[in-house]
Amino acid sequence: RIERCYFLPPDVTERLKGHVARKERIIFVNPHLGSWEASGVMAPYYAGVDMVAIAKPVRNPYLNKMINSGNREKVRGLEIIFSSGAIRAATKALRDGRGVGTLIDQNTKGRYGGTFVNFFNIPVASSTAPAILKSYCDAHDIPAVIIYGTSVRHADGKVYSHSAYLPKPFHEYNDEVEVLQALMD
């Protein structure tokens, strides 16, 4: 079903496999744009990325189980962790050699690590988790890279993955807000 519906371009697949081969942790950053759920499935399936994905639980427990478990966790290499305590679980995953997937446009309050950045020219509260996790990796000599990605349905009906790296090296940014704005841009 994944191969029928989702397409990870060969160049993206090879880049991801290269990071895995070099034992670099991948911090995936994705907005709620396109088929964001598909992004977390493609990297483990096509490129062998072992990762956790941070999800915000849905209030209805039955819907939560249907949305945040089930088919996504049947893909080998993908585990869903919840936003409550996510940084602790994500840093553990990074220490254990796994990647982390996060949605950055979650209306994250400041007391929970959020800050305002422009998203389609609208100020939105977003998570600084990608920059915090990368800083953690750098401070603990854990090789890591931030990759922005999204998955969009094309005219042929398949969902195609698109990805990009930060426009400049992580250490050249002044703070988490600047990193987050670069990702949102």
Side-chain angles (χ1 to χ4, degrees), residues 4-21:
R4 187 183 63 215
C5 300
Y6 302 148
F7 181 74
L8 190 65
D11 62 318
V12 176
T13 303
E14 292 309 311
R15 280 191 306 236
L16 294 178
K17 285 181 176 181
H19 292 300
V20 170

Side-chain angles (χ1 to χ4, degrees), residues 27 52 54 81-95 100-102 108 111-114 127-134 136:
I27 301 166
V52 299
I54 301 170
I81 60 174
F82 290 107
S83 53
S84 178
I87 292 295
R88 181 177 293 147
T91 55
K92 181 183 181 323
L94 291 165
R95 284 191 311 271
V100 175
T102 182
T108 307
R111 66 178 174 264
Y112 299 120
S127 173
T128 57
I132 290 169
L133 293 171
K134 175 67 170 120
Y136 173 85

Side-chain angles (χ1 to χ4, degrees), residues 59-156:
R59 287 188 180 119
N60 181 313
Y62 301 105
L63 286 175
N64 187 58
K65 183 173 177 147
M66 183 178 77
I67 293 169
N68 290 313
S69 63
N71 288 336
R72 287 193 292 186
E73 286 197 322
K74 287 180 184 174
V75 174
R76 199 175 115 257
L78 176 64
E79 177 188 351
I80 304 299
I81 60 174
F82 290 107
S83 53
S84 178
I87 292 295
R88 181 177 293 147
T91 55
K92 181 183 181 323
L94 291 165
R95 284 191 311 271
D96 292 345
R98 302 172 85 188
V100 175
T102 182
L103 293 162
I104 55 175
D105 58 340
Q106 286 282 331
N107 192 20
T108 307
K109 293 179 176 38
R111 66 178 174 264
Y112 299 120
T115 189
F116 279 90
V117 292
N118 288 320
F119 188 53
F120 293 114
N121 294 322
I122 299 171
V124 295
S126 300
S127 173
T128 57
I132 290 169
L133 293 171
K134 175 67 170 120
S135 293
Y136 173 85
C137 288
D138 289 352
H140 292 87
D141 295 322
I142 299 171
V145 61
I146 295 175
I147 298 177
Y148 170 87
T150 192
S151 299
V152 180
R153 187 171 305 280
H154 286 211
D156 64 2

Side-chain angles (χ1 to χ4, degrees), residues 30-48:
N30 205 339
H32 281 96
L33 181 66
S35 298
W36 50 269
E37 324 81 357
S39 297
V41 172
M42 284 193 261
Y45 184 82
Y46 284 112

